[in-house]
Amino acid sequence: MRPAGIATALYGWMERFARDGIDWDWDSLYGACARSGVEAVETDPTLTKRAILDRLGLRVSASYIGMPLTPRFAELDVQERVLPVAQRLAAAGGRVLVLNADARGGGPAEPKTPSEVVRQGENLSRIADLVAPLGLRIALHNHADRYDRAAQDLESVIVHSDDAVGLCIDTAWAIAAGHDPVAWAREHALRVLAVHLRNQSGPVPTDVLAEGELDLAGLLAALDGYEGWLTLELWHPDTMTPRMGMVEAVRASATLLREAVGTGSGQETR
């Protein structure tokens, strides 16, 4: 494995700051990420944000958009919702745009009819075609917490999308839905373009990546040819009591990843 480096998504940071009563802005949020030892963040890199990231020495690993993907393509408003973010991501040197299949009213994945599963795959393919000239790939993020709904999203990519569409495997949501993220990575290795790494004990997230049900060694072995970012997405909701701050938890998890893949500054040593 030659990962691009260790990155972090931002949702868990925002949630933890809110829980701890911490007011934040982009300077303080990105600064905390930098102190945790990651090399990149998953974010929409507007010019203002890029200036902060450049000052901190952080790269942009990907951008994330949550939106319904089952309506007719003309109803998705891709020109307004997707392309501006894609253009900013490409300008910042990113290569993967992560999409999440939101429910029509927002929030987690909803059940889909067979025809909606097909349409979601077709829509992903059309979005992939639109961003390809920017040098970007599309990856669908799994966010369903039920087995059948997670399986539908996986099917929309593997069965109904072009090969240009890939997967962003979120290990925690896969576990929460009753799936094995290691099996997904093994069976669909060529389609994995991004990973979100968090551990779980059943439905409850753990403090750090080292604790929980995830077979991290097995996952990394299944992703042997993977060259993308290893993106941490730790989350400390009210259903658990964290033993450490977010900076410390992310730093410990990033250190674990580097030791597991044999990296020092984000590139494998051979």
Side-chain angles (χ1 to χ4, degrees):
M1 174 184 283
R2 296 186 62 86
I6 312 298
T8 183
L10 299 179
Y11 176 77
W13 289 88
M14 296 173 183
E15 288 281 295
R16 181 61 191 271
F17 283 3
R19 177 176 182 167
D20 293 345
I22 298 173
D23 293 327
W24 61 270
D25 56 18
W26 294 112
D27 273 287
S28 60
L29 176 58
Y30 291 149
C33 294
R35 292 196 302 277
S36 75
V38 300
E39 299 144 77
V41 296
E42 183 178 281
T43 193
D44 177 2
T46 64
L47 290 177
T48 299
K49 294 177 183 177
R50 282 185 64 186
I52 300 169
L53 295 171
D54 289 345
R55 174 167 50 80
L56 293 169
L58 291 172
R59 297 169 63 188
V60 177
S61 58
S63 295
Y64 177 103
I65 301 173
M67 58 185 288
L69 291 168
T70 58
R72 291 175 298 181
F73 188 78
E75 299 173 17
L76 298 184
D77 199 15
V78 172
Q79 294 290 334
E80 294 295 325
R81 300 184 70 172
V82 176
L83 286 186
V85 179
Q87 290 163 352
R88 291 191 289 268
L89 176 62
R95 292 292 177 265
V96 177
L97 180 61
V98 178
L99 297 183
N100 188 77
D102 285 359
R104 286 180 183 253
E110 59 187 349
K112 301 175 178 68
T113 66
S115 63
E116 287 177 327
V117 175
V118 174
R119 189 183 304 125
Q120 177 167 292
E122 293 172 344
N123 286 339
L124 288 166
S125 296
R126 294 183 68 174
I127 295 172
D129 288 342
L130 287 175
V131 303
L134 297 171
L136 298 180
R137 299 279 301 278
I138 293 293
L140 180 67
H141 171 265
N142 59 290
H143 196 195
D145 60 358
R146 290 179 52 176
Y147 190 92
D148 55 342
R149 298 178 189 181
Q152 287 182 322
D153 284 338
L154 182 67
E155 178 189 339
S156 75
V157 173
I158 301 303
V159 178
H160 304 297
S161 293
D162 296 339
D163 289 344
V165 178
L167 298 170
C168 171
I169 296 179
D170 187 303
T171 56
W173 283 113
I175 292 170
H179 287 269
D180 179 2
V182 177
W184 282 6
R186 184 183 304 115
E187 294 167 14
H188 309 297
L190 296 180
R191 301 294 286 272
V192 180
L193 301 180
V195 291
H196 282 182
L197 301 170
R198 181 172 70 248
N199 216 331
Q200 299 270 127
S201 290
V204 181
T206 56
D207 269 275
V208 292
L209 191 61
E211 302 167 353
E213 300 173 23
L214 175 65
D215 177 7
L216 181 62
L219 179 73
L220 296 175
L223 294 173
D224 181 59
Y226 179 72
E227 296 183 347
W229 290 92
L230 298 173
T231 301
L232 292 162
E233 194 175 26
L234 303 187
W235 181 36
H236 299 156
D238 291 340
T239 53
M240 53 87 73
T241 302
R243 305 187 311 275
M244 63 187 77
M246 197 67 174
V247 169
E248 291 76 18
V250 173
R251 181 185 296 123
S253 300
T255 298
L256 174 70
L257 279 176
R258 291 193 179 96
E259 292 173 349
V261 299
T263 68
S265 59
Q267 293 296 325
E268 184 177 9
T269 55
R270 292 188 174 183

